[in-house]
Amino acid sequence: MTGTVVTFYSYKGGVGRSFALANVAVLLARWGHSVLCVDWDLEAPGLHDYFRSFTAGEPETGVLDLVDDFHARTTRPLDRMVTPTTIAGRLDILAAGKQDYDYVRRVQELDWERLYAAGFADYLEDRRAEWTAGYDFVLLDSRTGVSDVGGICTAHLPDRLVVLYTANDQSVRGAVDVARRADAARDRMPYDRPQLPVLPVLSRFDGREEYQRAEEWRRTCLAETKELFENWLHQSVPLETMARHLTIPYVSYWSFGEQLPVRVEAEPAPDQVSYALETLAAVVAHGYDRTDLLVEERDAYVMAAAEPQREFSVDVRVSTPRSALRTANALLSELRGLGLRAELSLSGDPSQLSRAHDDARHLCLVVDGEVSRWQSAEVELFLRRTLGTDRRLIPVLTDAANHKALPGYIRNLRHLRLSPAGPAVVARRLAAQLDDAEASEIGETHLRDLLWQLRKARLRNFLWPLVDDDLRALTHAIIHRDTGLTHALAADLELTITPRGSAIAPQRYVEMPVEVRATVDRVDALLDDLPNPVE
């Protein structure tokens, strides 16, 4: 898997472009990604100043040396070009160049038109491939205005573009115009590049004073930039809401020097600059995707970006009130016998409550009678980090539990009943839900029959509530393993697949959102290729 090149661009200076890039880089590195920051602002370099305290010395090489290497028909190893930092994870810098007496002369002698005519574009394309092979994210700090370097950074190199602007006509209109030019330029390039997704970010925005004027300028900026949202924003997300999420507030304290507030504000409040920078970094980490989740639960969206490869010490935590402790212990024993790392969470134990959402991937809620206030608090903690991830909350009901009387957020989940199945059967079914591979382990003959049932149902014609555990397990197998669909698309499809007893009615194809219909079409295409088990 190759990395992603993201250019940070501004039409005018003084918008905090390098500030935003540096802080986003720190967050991405802290979240486990490898990051390369490239300073393409050759006329006014300074990206490395943000990391001066975290490097062994001043950069000795940089972007200018790429030009020298091209003329010399040579390529220096990447590890000899970058300056490593110690700030967080793996974060390296490719500076503009060594800041010595010759630097200005070298910049003034650059002739990009002649360089490109001599084949520099192909040489740079090879360097781009090298960067994306070595890093998850390559963040380019582009020069302002309309320039040759700006064209390289906004059209040739990036997979995605972040344009920062302030609340004035020149800044916002200039940023939109450059985004249009970049798309047009990419169409003429000899390289295979898709349409360029552009993220418009209103920066250094002070909405705390002159509130009425601030709101007027918000509307003005949105009217100018709305076209930039078209090819990436989820259709259910209002433009105005997304634009507010993409606003970096002006905080005078951080306007002095080259500072990294994300290192200081560990748990920022919504009015702090690091809060907005976290949101921006999360959107970049998600590839501008899942914006519906951002609007629904911003903290969960950021958490999903911050913990993409998180390792859990517990597979499933079994939460139980004292009244069902014996039953929960029996279930716990069965789960461990199936090879799951399972632990107990007993209502009333503060140490368990504080860890409930931290070290367990999944939460099994044993409901005896009703959901206790303690369990409600535990579920709330868990769900804060669950939305948008593959973590699951599974209710297990005792005889005393009335499904219809459960809170809505529990009632709408697929549940298991301890009676008459018993702990052993419930444990197996629970394990199957938690592991897609186990869920798809069905006998070959039975599998062919079920596939044929699924094909006859024809998803596109009508979506039905599943009435059989095996059929649901089969559907998981098709979605997650056989078709290679992403988890996001699978989640879309699962909106239409409901368990027996659910009050949710199946949707007709024509009533589904466009994204869900696309997923259904892909599964239907697979079903068309399935053989008749009778043949």
Side-chain angles (χ1 to χ4, degrees):
M1 182 176 179
T2 59
T4 301
V5 180
V6 184
T7 290
F8 283 63
Y9 170 84
S10 61
Y11 180 73
K12 303 282 285 186
V15 305
R17 183 194 66 248
S18 299
F19 169 82
L21 184 153
N23 281 274
V24 167
V26 171
L27 288 169
L28 291 174
R30 182 188 296 165
W31 296 344
H33 300 288
S34 54
V35 182
L36 174 64
C37 298
V38 185
D39 192 349
W40 271 94
D41 192 358
L42 303 183
E43 282 75 10
L47 183 61
H48 64 279
D49 288 331
Y50 286 91
F51 307 102
R52 191 181 299 276
S53 300
F54 307 98
T55 60
E58 292 295 303
E60 294 293 323
T61 54
V63 172
L64 280 180
D65 296 283
L66 299 178
V67 177
D68 293 342
D69 288 354
F70 170 71
H71 286 311
R73 308 286 189 207
T74 186
T75 302
R76 281 178 253 193
L78 183 57
D79 60 359
R80 288 177 51 195
M81 297 287 291
V82 301
T83 302
T85 75
T86 59
I87 190 168
R90 184 187 176 199
L91 197 166
D92 297 338
I93 304 169
L94 181 59
K98 184 176 182 179
Q99 300 297 300
D100 57 12
Y101 181 79
D102 287 334
Y103 180 83
V104 174
R105 175 189 58 78
R106 295 169 70 193
V107 172
Q108 292 175 339
E109 290 177 353
L110 288 173
D111 186 335
W112 293 108
E113 184 175 352
R114 181 175 296 180
L115 279 168
Y116 265 66
F120 184 70
D122 290 337
Y123 180 83
L124 192 56
E125 187 72 6
D126 290 340
R127 303 289 71 71
R128 180 189 188 279
E130 185 180 16
W131 298 342
T132 56
Y135 296 88
D136 298 324
F137 288 97
V138 180
L139 308 184
L140 308 183
D141 193 15
S142 174
R143 183 187 176 188
T144 58
V146 179
S147 64
D148 292 329
V149 169
I152 293 172
C153 292
T154 59
H156 181 176
L157 292 176
D159 296 302
R160 295 185 175 86
L161 183 61
V162 176
V163 293
L164 292 97
Y165 62 93
T166 52
N168 67 71
D169 288 329
Q170 290 184 44
S171 184
V172 64
R173 291 176 182 172
V176 172
D177 180 62
V178 165
R180 292 172 183 159
R181 291 171 181 268
D183 244 342
R186 286 164 77 88
D187 290 340
R188 301 190 297 269
M189 287 168 45
Y191 309 110
D192 184 19
R193 296 278 198 277
Q195 187 176 9
L196 185 66
V198 182
L199 197 71
V201 177
L202 176 57
S203 183
R204 297 177 65 82
F205 186 73
D206 191 350
R208 292 172 295 183
E209 299 181 14
E210 299 292 342
Y211 179 79
Q212 184 175 347
R213 292 192 64 192
E215 291 303 302
E216 290 173 357
W217 267 104
R218 278 191 186 276
R219 291 192 290 271
T220 298
C221 292
L222 182 58
E224 293 289 343
T225 61
K226 63 181 181 180
E227 68 183 73
L228 303 181
F229 293 87
E230 291 177 354
N231 67 344
W232 58 268
L233 184 63
H234 193 281
Q235 64 178 2
S236 68
V237 177
L239 288 177
E240 182 181 358
T241 303
M242 191 66 206
R244 287 183 181 273
H245 279 294
L246 296 177
T247 300
I248 301 176
Y250 173 73
V251 180
S252 59
Y253 180 83
W254 299 113
S255 65
F256 300 99
E258 291 76 24
Q259 300 191 72
L260 297 170
V262 297
R263 296 191 66 252
V264 179
E265 299 171 347
E267 296 183 3
D271 61 341
Q272 292 182 297
V273 69
S274 293
Y275 188 89
L277 292 167
E278 278 188 345
T279 305
L280 174 57
V283 174
V284 171
H286 283 298
Y288 300 8
D289 195 11
R290 305 170 72 185
T291 48
D292 54 330
L293 171 61
L294 170 59
V295 172
E296 182 178 353
E297 180 53 66
R298 180 266 179 194
D299 290 347
Y301 185 81
V302 172
M303 192 61 62
E307 300 180 345
Q309 305 294 330
R310 186 177 178 192
E311 293 294 330
F312 293 92
S313 60
V314 177
D315 294 318
V316 57
R317 186 176 299 283
V318 179
S319 169
T320 182
R322 292 188 180 274
S323 59
L325 181 57
R326 179 178 299 180
T327 300
N329 277 325
L331 179 60
L332 195 72
S333 177
E334 295 290 346
L335 290 170
R336 288 172 175 170
L338 293 172
L340 290 173
R341 297 171 299 172
E343 288 191 6
L344 191 73
S345 173
L346 181 61
S347 293
D349 182 349
S351 66
Q352 294 292 335
L353 179 60
S354 65
R355 297 204 323 254
H357 66 302
D358 283 332
D359 59 354
R361 178 178 292 278
H362 308 292
L363 180 62
C364 168
L365 199 69
V366 177
V367 181
D368 188 42
E370 61 182 18
V371 177
S372 68
R373 293 178 62 183
W374 186 271
Q375 286 182 309
S376 294
E378 190 173 30
V379 168
E380 182 181 353
L381 286 170
F382 179 80
L383 290 179
R384 285 180 186 175
R385 295 194 175 192
T386 300
L387 192 60
T389 70
D390 62 353
R391 302 176 75 186
R392 299 188 187 180
L393 170 63
I394 302 176
V396 173
L397 310 185
T398 69
D399 285 340
N402 181 355
H403 177 256
K404 293 182 179 179
L406 296 177
Y409 64 92
I410 298 293
R411 186 174 62 250
N412 292 332
L413 296 172
R414 186 189 181 199
H415 65 276
L416 299 171
R417 280 202 174 272
L418 280 163
S419 179
V425 174
V426 169
R428 288 198 296 271
R429 290 179 178 174
L430 192 151
Q433 288 193 43
L434 302 184
D435 189 331
D436 291 328
E438 289 184 38
S440 64
E441 289 177 2
I442 306 171
E444 278 300 315
T445 303
H446 192 38
L447 177 62
R448 286 197 299 270
D449 290 341
L450 291 173
L451 285 170
W452 184 245
Q453 290 180 42
L454 193 56
R455 178 176 175 181
K456 286 192 300 181
R458 290 297 295 159
L459 289 182
R460 181 168 182 145
N461 294 333
F462 192 78
L463 272 291
W464 70 101
L466 297 183
V467 296
D468 185 275
D469 282 344
D470 287 337
L471 192 55
R472 186 174 181 86
L474 165 73
T475 307
H476 277 282
I478 288 178
I479 293 173
H480 293 300
R481 188 179 65 178
D482 297 337
T483 67
L485 293 176
T486 65
H487 281 283
L489 290 176
D492 283 338
L493 184 57
E494 287 182 16
L495 293 175
T496 67
I497 299 174
T498 60
R500 174 170 45 192
S502 171
I504 303 174
Q507 290 179 284
R508 295 174 62 236
Y509 178 80
V510 294
E511 298 170 344
M512 299 175 195
V514 174
E515 295 86 354
V516 179
R517 291 205 300 268
T519 307
V520 170
D521 289 342
R522 292 179 65 180
V523 175
D524 261 352
L526 171 75
L527 298 177
D528 285 337
D529 295 333
L530 294 177
N532 188 328
V534 178
E535 296 174 355

